[in-house]
C-alpha cells in the first residue's frame, strides 16, 4: 500500500531546528533587520533559494554567510529524536523503503555523518538539495524522490515539520504526516493528513489504514 516513506531531516530525524533558528535569527538581525521573522521565513528552504531570494546582488555577503554556515554546521550537535530508530526499523521490517529528502546540501550531510556515521545506513536513499529542482515549498523534491523510488507521490508518505516542507509534501500529492516538533498542531494541521508529536508516537498501522482509506476514496488514475 505504501511504496516509499520519505523523511525530512531537520526537525523530523534530527533535533537541530533550535540551533538553526539561532543562527539564521542572528543573520536576519545583522543584515535584514526590517524582516522580523527572517529565521522562520527561510526555514525549510535550500541555501540556493535563500541566496536567490535575499542575497541577490550581494555576492560578497552571500559568500561570508555561506562560510559562517559551513563552520556552524561543522560544530553543530546532531542528535536523533527519540523513537527514530524504532520507527525506521518497523517501517523497513514491513518492506517499505525509506529515504531522506532534505533541503540540506551534501556539505552539511558530510558534517552530520561525522557525528552519526550509522544514520544514512538506516535509509535506502538520501536526497539532498542538489537532487531537487526548485526547493521547498515547491513539491519538486518529493516528486523526484518518489519517481526515483519507483512510486507515484500518491503512493508515498511524507514526514515533515516545517511549513515549507509540509506545503511541498502536500502539493506533491503524497500522504503527509506532520510532526509538531517545531510548529503547533494548528499550523501543522493546515497541510498534513495526520499530525503526530514525533516519530516516537506515530503508529505505522494508523498511517497505513489512513492511506488505504484515502486511496479508496481517490484512486490513482
Amino acid at each position: 500500500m505504501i511504496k516509499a516513506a520519505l523523511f525530512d531531516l531537520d526537525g523530523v530525524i534530527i533535533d537541530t531546528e533550535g540551533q538553526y533558528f539561532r543562527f539564521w535569527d542572528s543573520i536576519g538581525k545583522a543584515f535584514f533587520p526590517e524582516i522580523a521573522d527572517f529565521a522562520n521565513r527561510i526555514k525549510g528552504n535550500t541555501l540556493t533559494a535563500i541566496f536567490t531570494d535575499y542575497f541577490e546582488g550581494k555576492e560578497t555577503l552571500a559568500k561570508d554567510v555561506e562560510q559562517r554556515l559551513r563552520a556552524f554546521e561543522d560544530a553543530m550537535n546532531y542528535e536523533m529524536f527519540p523513537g527514530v530508530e524504532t520507527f525506521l526499523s518497523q517501517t523497513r521490517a514491513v518492506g517499505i523503503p525509506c529515504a531522506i529528502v532534505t533541503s540540506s546540501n551534501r556539505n552539511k550531510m558530510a558534517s552530520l555523518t561525522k557525528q552519526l556515521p550509522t544514520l544514512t545506513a538506516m535509509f535506502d536513499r538520501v536526497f539532498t538539495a542538489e537532487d531537487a529542482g526548485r526547493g521547498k515549498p515547491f513539491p519538486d523534491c518529493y516528486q523526484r524522490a518518489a519517481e526515483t523510488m519507483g512510486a507515484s507521490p500518491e503512493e508515498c508518505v511524507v514526514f515533515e515539520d516545517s511549513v515549507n516542507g509540509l506545503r511541498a509534501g502536500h502539493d506533491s500529492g503524497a500522504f503527509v504526516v506532520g510532526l509538531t516538533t517545531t510548529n503547533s498542531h494548528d499550523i501543522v494541521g493546515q497541510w498534513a493528513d495526520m499530525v503526530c508529536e514525533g516519530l516516537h508516537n506515530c503508529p505505522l498501522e494508523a498511517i497505513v489504514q489512513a492511506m488505504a482509506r484515502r486511496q479508496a476514496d481517490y484512486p490513482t488514475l
Side-chain angles (χ1 to χ4, degrees):
M1 190 65 65
I2 301 175
K3 293 290 186 67
L6 309 176
F7 298 81
D8 179 42
L9 181 64
D10 297 282
V12 174
I13 300 298
I14 55 173
D15 186 6
T16 53
E17 290 293 357
Q19 296 175 76
Y20 273 121
F21 179 88
R22 289 189 291 274
F23 174 83
W24 286 112
D25 186 55
S26 69
I27 295 297
K29 288 177 178 176
F31 304 113
F32 305 98
E34 72 281 5
I35 305 176
D37 59 343
F38 183 78
N40 283 322
R41 287 196 189 191
I42 58 90
K43 186 183 294 184
N45 285 351
T46 64
L47 192 59
T48 299
I50 294 169
F51 285 164
T52 298
D53 291 343
Y54 296 98
F55 294 86
E56 192 72 35
K58 304 174 182 177
E59 287 75 15
T60 300
L61 177 58
K63 185 175 181 179
D64 175 54
V65 171
E66 184 173 13
Q67 290 174 342
R68 293 189 195 192
L69 179 61
R70 182 71 180 273
F72 180 79
E73 289 178 336
D74 282 344
M76 279 178 66
N77 177 36
Y78 296 102
E79 183 176 350
M80 279 193 289
F81 279 106
V84 168
E85 293 183 75
T86 299
F87 187 84
L88 289 172
S89 295
Q90 292 172 346
T91 304
R92 298 187 68 180
V94 296
I96 300 173
C98 298
I100 290 173
V101 183
T102 178
S103 295
S104 299
N105 58 28
R106 291 169 188 159
N107 287 334
K108 186 273 191 63
M109 292 302 299
S111 297
L112 185 154
T113 52
K114 288 179 183 177
Q115 285 190 37
L116 299 174
T118 62
L119 176 65
T120 55
M122 300 178 190
F123 295 87
D124 297 279
R125 291 292 300 266
V126 176
F127 299 93
T128 63
E130 291 85 352
D131 299 307
R134 298 171 298 176
K136 302 171 186 178
F138 294 103
D140 303 33
C141 59
Y142 285 117
Q143 291 170 339
R144 292 189 180 189
E147 181 181 5
T148 303
M149 301 289 281
S152 69
E154 291 78 13
E155 295 172 316
C156 297
V157 56
V158 163
F159 296 86
E160 271 285 1
D161 67 303
S162 72
V163 171
N164 283 332
L166 291 161
R167 289 175 59 191
H170 175 274
D171 291 349
S172 76
F175 184 92
V176 179
V177 176
L179 305 183
T180 59
T181 51
T182 55
N183 286 295
S184 69
H185 189 290
D186 289 344
I187 292 174
V188 171
Q190 295 178 49
W191 304 99
D193 297 287
M194 179 182 294
V195 179
C196 298
E197 291 180 2
L199 293 180
H200 67 285
N201 74 339
C202 220
L204 181 59
E205 183 59 31
I207 296 171
V208 172
Q209 293 174 356
M211 280 192 67
R213 288 193 296 270
R214 190 179 80 157
Q215 290 171 351
D217 291 337
Y218 305 101
T220 303
L221 298 179

